[in-house]
Amino acid sequence: MTNSRIPSFYNLTLDQRRLKLAEASGRTPPELAAWTTGGLSPEAADPMIENVIGIHSLPLGIALNFQVNGRDVLVPFAIEEPSVVAGASFMAKLARAGGGFSATTTDPLMIGQIQVIHLVNINEARLKIFEHKAELLAEADTIDPVLKKFGGGARDLEVHLFEESPIGPFLVVHLIYDVRDAMGGNAVNTACEKLAPQIEAITGGKVHLRILSNLADRRLARARCTIPVSELTVGFESFKGETVRDGIIAAYAFAATDPYRAATHNKGIMNGVDAVVIATGNDWRAIEAGAHSYAARSGKYTSLSTWGKDKDGNLVGTLEMPMAVGIVGGATKVHPAAQAAVKLMGVKTASELAEIIVSVGLAQNLAALRALSTEGIQRGHMSLHARQVAIAAGATGDMIEKVAAQMVAEKTVRSDRAEAILESLLK
Ligand code: MEV
């Protein structure tokens, strides 16, 4: 059983944090050792992509305090941006006081698209496809016996008609495929390619593109949290809880109505989502594409989350978004650090991973809205940013903290100032 509350984790040394992490997660230090080196050697990276010459690292931090569906979970974040891990951990602590995050997923259904062009009559072609639905699904089912064994496979066919386009009318078959614990890209693409000759024979048209859709709106993850108003003043004692709550709701209203704000609001959600997606070796471009296209599904780009209050006045947040992540196959399987991430979280299915990620997204969103609607994000952001500026200016050891602290006190976090402070401290 994991305990995600580790007091003063921040103040420990790297080695002490690693030991505490193993202890709190019930894992052995060797199981989590991949992170001490980044996990991937250049030799292991070589077969993964083309023209490999080395590896590229990111900091790996642990978000604390998360409780998802009643279970404590320690969440690995791979991210270069300061404040994200701290923000998520703090908000998870507030959410804990309201019972943590409740999260659910739909079945892991991916959509494959098969574009059919050069049709004489798209309505006739549509109905012919439905007449052959059973045999098409049976054929699509044969492409991955392992997936089939674990309960996955072809589930349904839909036909979308596009009457007007630059090339005239065409139709698109949607193959709905249950990919279980895989991200599913390979299975879906293979199935779409396999169906192409049959679809051409049935419709008399020509199959053009055969590829999955990243608008994975049949594979959604949803999270909800309730924050007692009293918790909203923690760390912000000069504010009334109701004021913070109403400020967060007004900030949400801004994102719900204005695409310029919604883009930044959703970027804040993705700060957390991507960090876990990357840590687990998943395809973050696919998750980004899914998130933003889902946010625009009504025709107007809007917020992925909602914030309001319940009958007792507590703050209630929800987040719903596509979440095409896997725990088998791809980089998740071959990257030792991704394996450590899956082990640390103790997830047994892709759905469980998706539930954690969507909860993290909601926590991250709350961290941003709470700061923005009270003191602004720069104070918290600046103290962490100042450390990076100090390091870039040449500070090492305890000089990093000293230079950073002085810049924050002066409210001037700039490289020229860091260099000047460092010079005077070293004299
Ligand atoms: C910065 O990485 C993310 C925020 O801009 C998100 C937001 O504005 O909601 C703080």
Side-chain angles (χ1 to χ4, degrees):
M1 283 282 276
T2 293
N3 175 8
S4 67
R5 306 208 59 185
I6 313 180
S8 303
F9 195 62
Y10 180 80
N11 292 323
L12 304 178
T13 63
L14 278 169
D15 280 339
Q16 288 169 335
R17 282 189 208 131
R18 290 181 189 128
L19 279 175
K20 276 271 177 221
L21 185 65
E23 197 182 291
S25 61
R27 296 286 164 186
T28 62
E31 282 179 299
L32 308 177
W35 286 316
T36 52
T37 59
L40 206 58
S41 65
E43 290 69 30
D46 195 16
M48 288 175 74
I49 63 163
E50 307 75 33
N51 301 350
V52 167
I53 53 109
I55 46 177
H56 173 94
S57 310
L58 282 174
L60 192 292
I62 303 295
L64 305 175
N65 304 320
F66 272 88
Q67 196 170 57
V68 179
N69 294 334
R71 188 173 79 85
D72 270 28
V73 58
L74 288 152
V75 192
F77 277 37
I79 189 163
E80 85 299 344
E81 185 175 330
S83 300
V84 172
V85 175
S89 302
F90 192 7
M91 294 310 110
K93 197 168 167 188
L94 304 192
R96 236 185 138 84
F101 296 89
S102 302
T104 55
T105 49
T106 60
D107 279 343
L109 299 177
M110 294 297 285
I111 299 168
Q113 295 193 293
I114 304 165
Q115 182 192 21
V116 192
I117 58 175
H118 300 167
L119 289 164
V120 177
N121 183 329
I122 57 171
N123 295 307
E124 181 196 30
R126 173 173 174 265
L127 293 204
K128 282 185 171 173
I129 289 166
F130 286 134
E131 286 157 27
H132 291 85
K133 180 169 153 177
E135 76 203 54
L136 287 167
L137 289 180
E139 180 69 13
D141 236 6
T142 60
I143 56 112
D144 191 335
V146 179
L147 193 55
K148 185 91 190 134
K149 192 176 113 200
F150 286 105
R155 290 289 182 268
D156 202 3
L157 283 183
E158 291 170 356
V159 181
H160 295 234
L161 300 184
F162 297 92
E163 311 267 357
E164 280 172 39
S165 87
I167 58 150
F170 67 90
L171 70 73
V172 177
V173 179
H174 277 198
L175 170 63
I176 315 295
Y177 216 91
D178 186 324
V179 297
R180 295 285 97 195
D181 293 320
M183 186 276 182
N186 279 330
V188 170
N189 292 340
T190 307
C192 287
E193 292 190 5
K194 186 102 194 269
L195 291 190
Q198 255 168 288
I199 289 183
E200 286 187 342
I202 292 165
T203 61
K206 176 171 169 15
V207 166
H208 194 43
L209 300 198
R210 298 142 295 164
I211 185 76
L212 99 165
S213 170
N214 288 123
L215 175 48
D217 62 0
R218 304 290 293 266
R219 192 180 192 180
L220 299 173
R222 304 177 174 113
R224 180 179 61 79
C225 68
T226 303
I227 318 284
V229 169
S230 57
E231 293 296 312
L232 289 170
T233 57
V234 178
F236 277 162
E237 280 71 17
S238 58
F239 289 91
K240 272 183 70 188
E242 286 76 7
T243 310
V244 180
R245 177 198 65 200
D246 295 345
I248 290 167
I249 296 171
Y252 154 65
F254 187 3
T257 39
D258 175 13
Y260 283 89
R261 173 57 205 153
T264 324
H265 176 101
N266 291 340
K267 190 274 183 184
I269 292 172
M270 301 313 285
N271 275 344
V273 168
D274 285 342
V276 190
V277 170
I278 293 169
T280 54
N282 275 290
D283 180 347
W284 74 93
R285 286 86 56 210
I287 299 298
E288 283 281 339
H292 297 294
S293 52
Y294 194 65
R297 67 195 180 283
S298 70
K300 184 182 170 192
Y301 187 87
T302 187
S303 167
L304 285 166
S305 64
T306 72
W307 291 96
K309 56 186 177 184
D310 67 12
K311 63 176 177 19
D312 300 318
N314 301 311
L315 178 69
V316 178
T318 71
L319 173 61
E320 176 182 280
M321 59 187 290
M323 195 55 72
V325 289
I327 57 165
V328 295
T332 309
K333 205 72 199 164
V334 300
H335 198 309
Q339 282 293 295
V342 170
K343 273 211 181 91
L344 177 69
M345 288 185 280
V347 289
K348 301 275 182 297
T349 64
S351 292
E352 276 181 74
L353 174 59
E355 286 163 3
I356 293 170
I357 296 175
V358 74
S359 302
V360 165
L362 188 56
Q364 210 71 59
N365 185 216
L366 178 60
L369 299 191
R370 179 175 171 275
L372 285 168
S373 56
T374 52
E375 59 174 17
I377 60 156
Q378 283 311 76
R379 193 184 64 85
H381 227 69
M382 273 305 150
S383 49
L384 285 158
H385 176 56
R387 285 164 49 180
Q388 288 186 346
V389 173
I391 293 167
T396 53
D398 60 356
M399 280 295 155
I400 299 171
E401 235 13 271
K402 285 187 179 149
V403 174
Q406 189 164 333
M407 284 194 292
V408 170
E410 293 174 2
K411 293 196 168 65
T412 310
V413 182
R414 280 199 328 255
S415 57
D416 59 327
R417 190 62 200 130
E419 281 163 21
I421 296 169
L422 183 61
E423 201 182 309
S424 74
L425 285 173
L426 288 174
K427 267 192 193 147

